[in-house]
Amino acid sequence: MLASRALLRLLLARELNAEPLATRGLEITRHCPGCGVADHGQPRHRRRAVSLSRTRELVMAAVAPAGVLLGVDVERGPALSAKGIFPGFDDAVLAPGERAAVAAAARPDALRLALFSAKEALLKAAGVGLTIEPASFLVSADPLGPPAGWTPVHTPGVDSGPVYLQPVDAGAGHVASLACTAPLMVERLDIGKLPGQ
């Protein structure tokens, strides 16, 4: 948890042209739409849109201009663990067209996790988290999963139009997604390119 927060602060410092030592002064608040408590939930910054996600092995963070909605999600892929696939997963997470795509997929668990990651990123961008059932909307009915590049997806909870979705290459052991209300240019950074590294 501390690593993900540190990564987000370093990335934010880079985007704001702040000194690495100033990261402690970058105020990032949190808000939970379910209970309203400020110690967990969606991270926020007054000058940038921010989002983060983590697994036991990997941390992912994103920063975008203020005024857009932004969400990222990373999940452990089936190569590391299929624990993310639980009994009833398809009914809880997948829309009917996605269930058909999974049935036709060469790697059904990988597609399941890619679709779940996409939905998590989209719902984070909308600021609603899992208060909206993932099975209530369709991301992709393609057995190959969401296409590369920005794809518009109608996301419940967002009245301003589509949210754009892009899969992110997170290595062989993970699946990851990025969602934003504007199809911005994406720059992938390794930790060594952040301030102070």
Side-chain angles (χ1 to χ4, degrees):
M1 184 181 301
L2 292 176
S4 62
R5 291 180 181 174
L7 175 64
L8 183 59
R9 286 181 180 281
L10 286 170
L11 184 57
L12 187 56
R14 180 184 187 271
E15 292 302 305
L16 295 172
N17 295 313
E19 291 295 321
L21 294 177
T23 60
R24 295 183 75 168
L26 296 174
E27 186 178 359
I28 298 173
T29 60
R30 298 184 77 79
H31 174 76
C32 174
C35 66
V37 175
D39 68 348
H40 64 277
Q42 184 180 33
R44 295 181 176 173
H45 185 267
R46 63 184 175 83
R47 293 174 51 200
R48 294 290 189 272
V50 296
S51 186
L52 64 91
S53 183
R54 64 185 170 271
T55 68
R56 283 185 234 150
E57 300 84 11
L58 190 66
V59 175
M60 181 177 169
V63 175
V68 300
L69 303 177
L70 179 69
V72 297
D73 185 70
V74 61
E75 301 289 333
R76 296 177 84 202
L80 286 179
S81 169
K83 289 182 182 177
I85 310 300
F86 51 86
F89 179 94
D90 290 4
D91 291 334
V93 174
L94 305 178
E98 293 165 339
R99 290 181 209 145
V102 164
R107 298 178 54 227
D109 283 349
L111 179 55
R112 284 181 174 99
L113 290 173
L115 291 168
F116 182 65
S117 174
K119 291 182 179 207
E120 278 267 351
L122 289 160
L123 293 173
K124 283 182 179 182
V128 296
L130 291 175
T131 61
I132 292 179
E133 293 183 21
S136 69
F137 67 102
L138 178 82
V139 167
S140 174
D142 188 327
L144 298 176
W150 289 114
T151 304
V153 177
H154 173 71
T155 305
V158 179
D159 298 328
S160 60
V163 178
Y164 294 87
L165 174 69
Q166 183 173 121
V168 176
D169 181 1
H174 291 82
V175 295
S177 302
L178 173 64
C180 189
T181 48
L184 302 171
M185 186 181 85
V186 176
E187 180 183 7
R188 182 185 174 130
L189 296 173
D190 292 323
I191 191 82
K193 294 185 180 178
L194 292 174
Q197 300 303 310

